[in-house]
Amino acid sequence: KGGLIALLDEACMFPRSTHETFAQKLYTTFKNNKRFVKPKLSRTDFTVVHYAGDVTYQADHFLDKNKDYVVAEHQDLLNASSCPFVASLFPTLPEESSKSSKFSSIGSRFKLQLQSLMETLSSTEPHYIRCVKPNNLLKPAIFENTNVIQQLRCGGVLEAIRISCAGYPTRKTFYEFVNRFGVLGPELLEGSNDDKIACQKILEKMKLENYQIGKTKVFLRAGQMADLDARRAEVLGKAARIIQRLMRTYIARKQFVLVRRSTTHLQSFVRGTLVRNLYECMRREAAAVKIQKNVRRHKARESYLLLQAATVTLQTGLRAMSARKEFRFRKETKAAVHIQARWRCHRDYSHYKNMQRAVLTYQCAWRQRLARRELRNLKMAARETGALKEAKDKLEKRVEELTWRLGLEKRLRTDLEEAKAQEIAKLQETLHDLQLQVEEAKTMATKEREAARKAIEEAPPVIKETPVLVEDTEKVNSLTAEVDQLKALLQTERQATETAKKEHAEAERRNEELMKKFEGAEKKIEQLQDTAQRLEEKATNMESENKVLRQQAVAISPTAKALAAYPKSPFQVCHIPGTCILYKYTLIFIKMT
């Protein structure tokens, strides 16, 4: 099979061939070639799949452009022209092509030129320089990424890099490799003259992989050469640092020895001079100190004797004058002290009496406030018991309704499944309504409690303890009776639930939905039991609170007895129950309240 150029030359040799016949011949010849693609909507176009992309060609004028209409005699004549430009336009054809065929075409000439170029490249070692146009604006420091990548792809640079990375881009002879990287394993080169073995040992020591050792060269993967250079630079750097360290140590030691010798001579001379000067100064100073000591001792003794005589004279006069002043002062202030003592005694006694009266009034007011607060709590508890009674009545009504609905469900369990589902939905709705009503009852109870508190706070402070306590006990007794009735109702409901459970177990075998309905009924009964337990707990709490209130009401009366034990000193601690304050600060506390 020939290529595109051979088929084009063959079509040009036949005078009746057209571009359509040429295209059909291409389609039939290269229909199984993966690099050749036929477009769907054209009869003369064809696409060649290059590594840089797909290129579509139009074969309309291929035959006309491929034919070389220059006669051989005319070409020889133009080639022999004295003008070099005209002669270069019409070069001489090779002898082989002229002998083989008289037909000449542009394609055959291009093929010969390409063949000569490949021979030239194979005979030399070419180095390619790829020029890339960074942008279409012809301005510096501007790079168009898509344009640059397209140029690199079309120029074959990316393909060459891929091929180079896939293979062994780094290649070194054994001698070059040992000469460059022998420092990485100098112990491996001892007793071995074979460069190939030395290269292999160095690579094994560096723990490199995927390398190959040929007959004369070492083949390395991408990045392995940089790793070896980095390790070589590290070894050379360490060796250079060791040499520098030893050289600097030698130079520094030599300089240190010289400086130390000079310093020792200089220090000995300077120290001798300093010691001699110091001795002379110390000798002079000792003589001067001795002279000064004797002179100062003589002057100090004279001044001391003079001062002693003057001091004794002055002390006698001052002591006599102070004794006279003290006698006069005691005589004048004796009567004033007696009057002050009497006045302070009267003032402290009156202050004590006033403070005692103030404390008594404060304690009475405080205990009155506590009793008022307890009365409000009792009224709130009474309101709460009424709300609980209403909630209990509502719960009893709901229990009766639930029992009626359970009986109705037992009678209608043989009905259709749709009726059962409707009954289950009704039960769920009633449960939800029951919960909402219980919550509403709780909220109403809290609201009534708050209203009772506000009414008690706004009411006049009238304390009537005994009637309220009697009414509260009656309410508590009524509540306990109602709780007992509720327990009896709960027992009956429990018996009903047990029977319902038995029937539910029988119906469970028949239908799963009926089982869900009975489970909902059981949960509802458990909630009712919880509410009953809560009511019992509230009743017990109210009983305990009533007991405490009775004790406090009884304890309020003996306040007069406790006041008799009040402290008589203004700084003693007050031990009366409920006060726990100092007597000194009682008046301030009364003003604050």
Side-chain angles (χ1 to χ4, degrees):
K1 275 186 183 180
L4 292 172
I5 297 174
L7 292 175
L8 182 62
D9 292 341
E10 184 179 352
C12 290
M13 292 174 66
F14 293 100
R16 293 184 179 179
S17 62
T18 60
H19 58 278
E20 293 181 356
T21 57
F22 170 66
Q24 292 299 325
K25 192 170 185 180
L26 290 177
Y27 296 157
T28 55
T29 305
F30 301 110
K31 63 181 179 179
N32 296 325
N33 196 330
K34 63 180 181 180
R35 297 290 182 181
F36 185 85
V37 178
K38 177 186 176 183
K40 295 181 178 180
L41 302 176
S42 179
R43 299 177 61 186
T44 58
D45 297 347
F46 62 93
T47 302
V48 178
V49 181
H50 296 280
Y51 67 89
D54 299 345
V55 180
T56 303
Y57 299 92
Q58 296 178 354
D60 294 339
H61 302 285
F62 269 35
L63 299 177
D64 297 335
K65 293 181 179 179
N66 188 43
K67 293 178 181 179
D68 190 4
Y69 295 103
V70 181
V71 184
E73 290 80 4
H74 296 171
Q75 187 172 2
D76 294 337
L77 178 62
L78 293 172
N79 189 17
S81 174
S82 59
C83 181
F85 177 72
V86 177
S88 64
L89 292 175
F90 300 96
T92 57
L93 296 174
E95 294 181 358
E96 294 180 359
S97 61
S98 61
K99 289 179 181 179
S100 60
S101 163
K102 292 183 180 180
F103 177 75
S104 176
S105 64
I106 302 297
S108 59
R109 289 173 59 185
F110 173 73
K111 192 174 181 180
L112 293 173
Q113 291 175 3
L114 185 61
Q115 186 176 359
S116 64
L117 177 62
M118 292 301 296
E119 291 176 356
T120 304
L121 292 175
S122 60
S123 63
T124 59
E125 187 177 354
H127 296 278
Y128 298 98
I129 298 174
R130 300 290 184 184
C131 297
V132 179
K133 186 178 179 181
N135 55 60
N136 295 324
L137 302 175
L138 302 178
K139 291 184 179 180
I142 297 174
F143 290 90
E144 296 177 357
N145 296 332
T146 56
N147 193 8
V148 171
I149 290 172
Q150 185 65 22
Q151 293 180 45
L152 293 174
R153 186 180 288 109
C154 294
V157 177
L158 297 178
E159 188 70 16
I161 292 171
R162 188 185 64 78
I163 294 169
S164 177
C165 292
Y168 299 93
T170 305
R171 305 171 184 180
K172 293 284 184 182
T173 60
F174 295 145
Y175 177 75
E176 291 176 355
F177 189 82
V178 173
N179 189 23
R180 183 172 180 81
F181 300 108
V183 295
L184 298 177
E187 70 278 359
L188 302 175
L189 302 178
E190 296 177 359
S192 169
N193 296 324
D194 192 355
D195 293 339
K196 184 176 181 180
I197 296 172
C199 292
Q200 189 171 3
K201 288 181 178 180
I202 290 169
L203 291 170
E204 289 176 355
K205 183 181 178 181
M206 294 296 104
K207 297 180 180 180
L208 295 179
E209 298 178 354
N210 298 327
Y211 63 86
Q212 295 293 334
I213 297 177
K215 294 182 179 180
T216 59
K217 291 184 179 181
V218 177
F219 298 89
L220 301 175
R221 291 281 188 183
Q224 292 181 348
M225 191 69 180
D227 190 9
L228 292 173
D229 287 334
R231 296 185 183 181
R232 177 175 174 272
E234 185 178 356
V235 172
L236 292 177
K238 289 181 180 179
R241 285 193 292 273
I242 292 170
I243 294 168
Q244 289 176 357
R245 183 182 64 191
L246 295 175
M247 193 64 192
R248 288 169 183 168
T249 303
Y250 173 73
I251 294 169
R253 181 166 180 78
K254 188 175 180 180
Q255 292 178 355
F256 171 72
V257 171
L258 182 61
V259 171
R260 186 177 63 180
R261 190 182 298 113
S262 302
T263 305
T264 303
H265 290 299
L266 183 61
Q267 286 178 353
S268 62
F269 177 74
V270 171
R271 285 171 183 168
T273 304
L274 291 174
V275 168
R276 285 191 292 273
N277 293 333
L278 182 62
Y279 174 74
E280 185 67 23
C281 291
M282 289 176 68
R283 190 172 63 80
R284 291 175 179 274
E285 186 178 357
V289 168
K290 194 171 183 180
I291 294 167
Q292 289 176 0
K293 180 182 68 175
N294 293 325
V295 173
R296 287 172 181 169
R297 183 179 60 184
H298 178 70
K299 289 182 178 181
R301 183 166 180 77
E302 288 181 354
S303 63
Y304 172 72
L305 292 173
L306 182 62
L307 183 62
Q308 186 180 12
T311 303
V312 171
T313 305
L314 185 61
Q315 283 179 353
T316 54
L318 289 174
R319 286 170 182 168
M321 185 174 63
S322 64
R324 286 192 294 272
K325 284 183 179 180
E326 186 177 358
F327 175 74
R328 195 182 301 113
F329 176 75
R330 288 181 179 179
K331 187 176 180 182
E332 290 176 355
T333 58
K334 186 176 181 181
V337 169
H338 185 70
I339 294 168
Q340 287 178 357
R342 292 292 183 181
W343 167 248
R344 287 170 183 167
C345 180
H346 175 71
R347 186 187 61 187
D348 292 340
Y349 182 74
S350 62
H351 179 68
Y352 168 72
K353 288 294 183 181
N354 293 328
M355 295 296 288
Q356 189 176 12
R357 285 193 296 272
V359 169
L360 289 174
T361 55
Y362 168 70
Q363 287 180 349
C364 292
W366 177 254
R367 284 168 182 159
Q368 184 180 8
R369 185 177 178 181
L370 289 176
R372 241 188 267 117
R373 188 181 298 171
E374 294 298 331
L375 177 62
R376 284 197 299 269
N377 292 331
L378 288 172
K379 289 182 178 180
M380 287 169 62
R383 297 275 186 179
E384 187 176 358
T385 53
L388 291 173
K389 186 176 180 181
E390 291 178 359
K392 182 178 72 62
D393 295 334
K394 290 181 180 180
L395 289 173
E396 288 177 355
K397 291 179 181 179
R398 291 297 175 186
V399 167
E400 291 176 358
E401 185 179 357
L402 288 173
T403 53
W404 179 78
R405 287 185 180 276
L406 285 173
L408 183 62
E409 287 173 1
K410 289 177 184 179
R411 288 192 301 270
L412 297 176
R413 66 173 178 267
T414 56
D415 294 342
L416 295 174
E417 293 180 356
E418 294 180 356
K420 292 178 183 179
Q422 291 176 359
E423 289 296 329
I424 291 167
K426 289 180 181 179
L427 285 172
Q428 291 178 353
E429 290 178 358
T430 53
L431 281 172
H432 183 66
D433 294 336
L434 182 61
Q435 291 177 355
L436 292 176
Q437 289 178 3
V438 171
E439 291 178 357
E440 289 177 358
K442 289 181 180 179
T443 54
M444 290 295 292
T446 54
K447 289 180 180 179
E448 290 177 358
R449 193 182 305 165
E450 291 177 357
R453 286 179 183 176
K454 292 180 180 179
I456 291 167
E457 289 177 356
E458 293 175 358
V462 179
I463 301 174
K464 293 181 181 180
E465 297 177 355
T466 306
V468 173
L469 291 174
V470 172
E471 290 176 0
D472 290 337
T473 52
E474 290 177 356
K475 290 181 179 179
V476 169
N477 293 327
S478 64
L479 283 174
T480 52
E482 290 175 357
V483 169
D484 293 333
Q485 292 177 2
L486 187 60
K487 286 182 180 179
L489 289 173
L490 285 173
Q491 288 179 358
T492 56
E493 289 173 2
R494 286 176 184 173
Q495 293 176 0
T497 50
E498 288 178 357
T499 55
K501 286 180 180 179
K502 292 179 181 179
E503 293 177 357
H504 179 69
E506 293 176 358
E508 187 179 5
R509 299 172 186 175
R510 300 177 183 178
N511 197 350
E512 293 179 356
E513 294 181 356
L514 188 60
M515 182 177 178
K516 293 180 181 178
K517 181 173 61 178
F518 280 108
E519 287 178 355
E522 289 176 358
K523 290 181 181 178
K524 193 184 301 181
I525 293 167
E526 288 177 357
Q527 291 177 359
L528 292 172
Q529 291 175 357
D530 293 335
T531 54
Q533 289 178 359
R534 290 174 185 173
L535 290 171
E536 290 177 358
E537 290 176 357
K538 287 183 180 180
T540 53
N541 292 330
M542 289 185 65
E543 288 179 357
S544 60
E545 288 177 359
N546 288 329
K547 289 179 181 179
V548 172
L549 289 173
R550 289 172 185 173
Q551 292 175 1
Q552 289 179 358
V554 173
I556 288 171
S557 59
T559 54
K561 293 180 181 180
L563 289 172
Y566 202 81
K568 297 179 181 179
S569 176
F571 296 100
Q572 289 181 358
V573 180
C574 180
H575 296 285
I576 296 173
T579 57
C580 296
I581 55 173
L582 290 174
Y583 176 71
K584 185 178 180 180
Y585 301 102
T586 307
L587 185 58
I588 299 170
F589 201 8
I590 291 168
K591 289 180 180 180
M592 290 172 65
T593 55

